[in-house]
Amino acid sequence: MRQQSTGISRNFAFNTEHMDTAPAGMTPLGQLGEFGLIDRLTTSFSPRHQHILKGVGDDAAVVQIGNGRVLVSTTDLLLEGVHFDLAYAPLRHLGYKSVMVNLSDVFAMNAIPYGILVSVAASNRFPVEALEELYEGIKAACDRFQIDLMGGDTSSSKQGLVISVTAMGEANENEVVYRSGAQPNDLICVSGDVGAAYAGFLILDREKQVYLKDPNMQPDLSDYDYVAGRQLKPEARGDIIQKFRELGIQPTSMIDVSDGIASELHHICRGSKTGATIYSNKLPIDYQAVSVAEEFKISPVTFALNGGEDYELLFTIPLSEFEKIQGNDQLHVIGKITDEPMSINIVLDDGSVAEVEAQGWQHFKQTE
């Protein structure tokens, strides 16, 4: 006997027509962009269970597990041709990166990761040895942070390689940091340097185009080792979380820099109902990224604000905590939180003030 219908599919109908654009009268994905789409799809969802402290809307979900502890979990999907290009991304590096981008979200909650689930879909053009190389990179990432591979799934794919990683971590409930805690006059800080990953992408893509025109021309990345490495093999900043503990710092808000400083700052200000002012001459940009920016005739500030994939940590701390980070070459103050909601500005080198727009990478974003 068939199970009684729940009613969820009463309007179901087969539709075999393949559409490359939205049907007339429907909303194109590009009109909303990635974050607008997420907001629209999830606006009717709210946690049903009291032990879910945070569902949609931050770097990771947060669930109470007892004794003042919480579980932090996050997931990311990486698609060939969208998130990576196998023309220049070694499979071992790709496996490593696929883990790091997820661990970065766990660290952004001020939590410590302990395990991952990995699902992979691959087409027949990938031999077993290729997937073994991918998993060597996954294992290297697990070894780096002493986390466990706890399971996953494999499937065939008709088009390319698909990697999905779910990461889990733990923290004390009172140590978890959300995007929503920034207060006026808090200092805006960022770890490491920003803009280098985008510089690496530009160099790698340029060398690919040269190779496609003339396969005899092999890429020379000797002058771009740092930026290429930042694109191909990023490092999640677990060391910064450890440094917070050593210095006795509890950030008021935090997010990882996956889509560029501008986009992440908008997330913090939207969640915290605040504004922000940052200073272009305070943005930490590596000299090699500056050199690439000059080659491509693009402002290095644009790299920092909109490049993305640096996986550094953008966070805020009370002004009273400044002395704790002063002199640390991995922690940089780049501005302050203001009390005017969503008024986000940058003071340029000449003293002029410009609005900071969130122009980092967004899936589905409509382009002119």
Side-chain angles (χ1 to χ4, degrees):
M1 179 181 292
R2 289 182 180 176
Q3 185 176 358
Q4 183 177 356
S5 171
T6 63
I8 196 169
S9 60
R10 62 177 178 267
N11 294 322
F12 174 83
F14 284 106
N15 183 357
T16 58
E17 182 181 2
H18 176 74
M19 294 182 176
D20 292 324
T21 58
M26 299 289 187
T27 306
L29 292 174
Q31 184 173 316
L32 297 180
E34 179 186 6
F35 304 120
L37 178 64
I38 291 172
D39 288 343
R40 179 158 171 172
L41 296 179
T42 62
T43 186
S44 63
F45 290 84
S46 58
R48 290 188 171 92
H49 304 285
Q50 291 184 350
H51 60 284
I52 299 179
L53 302 181
K54 187 67 180 181
V56 179
D58 216 298
D59 284 71
V62 181
V63 182
Q64 288 177 323
I65 55 178
N67 297 319
R69 299 285 288 175
V70 295
L71 166 69
V72 172
S73 60
T74 184
T75 189
D76 264 306
L77 190 64
L78 282 78
L79 305 173
E80 183 180 356
V82 177
H83 300 97
F84 59 88
D85 188 335
L86 291 178
Y88 52 72
L91 285 168
R92 188 174 305 182
H93 285 22
L94 180 60
Y96 190 89
K97 181 176 182 176
S98 66
V99 177
M100 286 296 156
V101 301
N102 281 271
L103 298 188
S104 184
D105 282 333
V106 173
F107 290 133
M109 306 300 291
N110 203 31
I112 304 300
Y114 63 80
I116 57 171
L117 302 170
V118 177
S119 294
V120 174
S123 65
N124 288 333
R125 69 183 171 91
F126 291 92
V128 171
E129 290 77 8
L131 296 185
E132 285 179 333
E133 188 173 348
L134 178 76
Y135 272 76
E136 285 177 6
I138 291 171
K139 185 178 187 304
C142 289
D143 292 344
R144 170 75 175 82
F145 285 110
Q146 295 298 294
I147 63 172
D148 294 315
L149 174 63
M150 304 187 301
D153 191 20
T154 57
S155 175
S156 61
S157 167
K158 289 187 179 297
Q159 294 183 344
L161 182 63
V162 179
I163 307 167
S164 176
V165 178
T166 297
M168 287 154 282
E170 279 190 276
N172 292 325
E173 184 176 337
N174 61 0
E175 291 178 341
V176 176
V177 178
Y178 300 95
R179 300 174 182 178
S180 56
Q183 299 294 319
N185 296 317
D186 280 355
L187 299 175
I188 302 169
C189 310
V190 68
S191 65
D193 62 82
V194 287
Y198 183 62
F201 165 75
L202 290 179
I203 292 298
L204 290 166
D205 189 64
R206 183 181 69 183
E207 294 301 313
K208 174 190 172 182
Q209 300 309 318
V210 170
Y211 175 78
L212 290 176
K213 290 180 180 178
D214 183 0
N216 294 317
M217 294 290 292
Q218 291 298 313
D220 180 7
L221 301 176
S222 56
D223 293 331
Y224 308 104
D225 55 340
Y226 180 70
V227 295
R230 291 279 279 171
Q231 171 60 220
L232 296 175
K233 191 173 177 286
E235 294 288 343
R237 297 309 304 262
D239 59 316
I240 299 300
I241 303 306
Q242 181 60 38
K243 181 60 67 175
F244 288 158
R245 284 152 172 69
E246 293 173 2
L247 297 175
I249 291 174
Q250 172 82 2
T252 53
S253 68
M254 187 154 57
I255 189 171
D256 80 322
V257 183
S258 56
D259 298 305
I261 289 285
S263 181
E264 316 309 353
L265 198 53
H266 273 75
H267 285 311
I268 286 179
C269 290
R270 185 176 297 109
S272 302
K273 298 179 173 58
T274 62
T277 297
I278 59 174
Y279 298 84
S280 63
N281 61 0
K282 299 295 185 182
L283 294 170
I285 307 174
D286 184 82
Y287 74 90
Q288 201 171 96
V290 172
S291 177
V292 173
E294 291 173 350
E295 278 189 55
F296 284 83
K297 295 180 172 53
I298 301 173
S299 167
V301 173
T302 298
F303 278 25
L305 292 181
N306 302 315
E309 289 202 295
D310 292 304
Y311 301 106
E312 296 292 345
L313 294 174
L314 182 71
F315 60 97
T316 58
I317 59 173
L319 182 60
S320 59
E321 302 272 66
F322 173 67
E323 288 187 2
K324 293 181 179 180
I325 68 170
Q326 190 174 20
N328 190 307
D329 63 1
Q330 288 298 304
L331 302 175
H332 312 280
V333 177
I334 63 171
K336 66 178 181 179
I337 295 293
T338 62
D339 59 6
E340 187 176 350
M342 298 309 296
S343 175
I344 304 172
N345 300 297
I346 182 169
V347 179
L348 302 173
D349 289 352
D350 62 3
S352 62
V353 178
E355 181 182 357
V356 175
E357 298 182 1
Q359 295 179 336
W361 169 255
Q362 287 192 42
H363 298 285
F364 314 118
K365 187 174 182 181
Q366 218 163 17
T367 56
E368 297 298 333

